[in-house]
Amino acid sequence: MNIISLIDIIGTVVFAISGSLSAIDKKMDVFGAAVIAFLTALGGGTIRDILLGATPVGWMQTPSYLLYVLLGLVFSLVFKKQVLKLKRTLFLFDTIGIAVFTILGIEKTLSFGLSPYIAVVMGMVSAVFGGVLRDIASNHIPLIFRKEIYALVCVVAGFLYVFVLKSTGLSQDFSIWITVVFVIVVRTLIVKFNVTLPALEN
């Protein structure tokens, strides 16, 4: 198994955990938690694949993705009391997922021969639109539109990965880990110092 396949699995499970815990926190039932886990884990990749014309979309061609979502859901249900107390763990799960899906979106887009700039955009779509669907399904204004600026972090990380790291001749594994660490560090600093974009007013 190569590094891209491995982080794809990790990212799917991590986002499923993040979505499940969000549903549990909102006191949804098991079915609701399963739907939110699915949307969070596979929603961004589904939108990306539809935009790329890669149909049937990834999880339809590889049904094992549904098992990865189920794994994340079961983990969340079994250990919900322990994990819900660990807000830092929830934050870390979400941040790792964002970093991983940014890279996956970039690599899939580049494999279609599209522009590196489009690849960066698709990396951001892969990373954040699962969360957008999660928030819409939970009847909330999506987090990226009202509070945190992690979509911008994904864009910057995408440029770092595509235009700096991949052009330096570094191994793909090393480039991936640098990008993941970059996203974790930058997003942590943004949240710690409460950095936000100014809200629009009437």
Side-chain angles (χ1 to χ4, degrees):
M1 180 181 293
N2 60 35
I3 186 66
I4 293 294
S5 298
L6 179 61
I7 66 171
D8 195 3
I9 294 171
I10 293 172
T12 302
V13 174
V14 161
F15 263 16
I17 292 171
S18 175
S20 300
L21 292 173
S22 175
I24 292 169
D25 192 46
K26 294 177 176 64
K27 303 188 185 307
M28 294 185 183
D29 60 21
V30 174
F31 179 77
V35 171
I36 298 300
F38 174 87
L39 290 175
T40 309
L42 301 177
T46 298
I47 293 174
R48 175 203 65 213
D49 287 353
I50 291 172
L51 291 174
L52 292 175
T55 55
V57 297
W59 63 268
M60 291 182 175
Q61 297 186 53
T62 311
S64 56
Y65 281 106
L66 298 177
L67 294 178
Y68 304 145
V69 173
L70 180 61
L71 177 63
L73 174 63
V74 170
F75 178 88
S76 301
L77 294 175
V78 172
F79 299 104
K80 62 181 178 180
K81 290 183 179 179
Q82 292 86 344
V83 179
L84 281 173
K85 293 178 182 177
L86 303 174
K87 294 200 180 218
R88 290 183 181 178
T89 303
L90 289 176
F91 176 80
L92 183 60
F93 279 157
D94 201 51
T95 305
I96 292 173
I98 289 167
V100 164
F101 274 68
T102 297
I103 295 167
L104 290 170
I106 288 171
E107 287 295 340
K108 184 155 191 176
T109 305
L110 291 175
S111 74
F112 276 71
L114 296 176
S115 160
Y117 296 99
I118 298 299
V120 171
V121 173
M122 288 296 101
M124 183 270 292
V125 168
S126 299
V128 307
F129 271 75
V132 171
L133 294 175
R134 174 199 64 207
D135 292 342
I136 291 173
S138 302
N139 198 29
H140 288 284
I141 297 173
L143 184 63
I144 64 167
F145 300 149
R146 60 186 168 85
K147 188 176 181 182
E148 291 190 27
I149 58 174
Y150 62 86
L152 183 59
V153 175
C154 294
V155 171
V156 175
F159 273 96
L160 171 68
Y161 180 71
V162 173
F163 294 102
V164 178
L165 299 175
K166 286 177 74 73
S167 64
T168 59
L170 294 173
S171 70
Q172 185 180 52
D173 290 11
F174 194 49
S175 297
I176 287 171
W177 287 118
I178 290 176
T179 306
V180 170
V181 171
F182 173 84
V183 172
I184 292 172
V185 170
V186 172
R187 191 183 180 204
T188 299
L189 291 174
I190 286 173
V191 171
K192 180 176 180 179
F193 293 104
N194 196 29
V195 179
T196 59
L197 295 175
L200 298 177
E201 299 180 1
N202 293 330

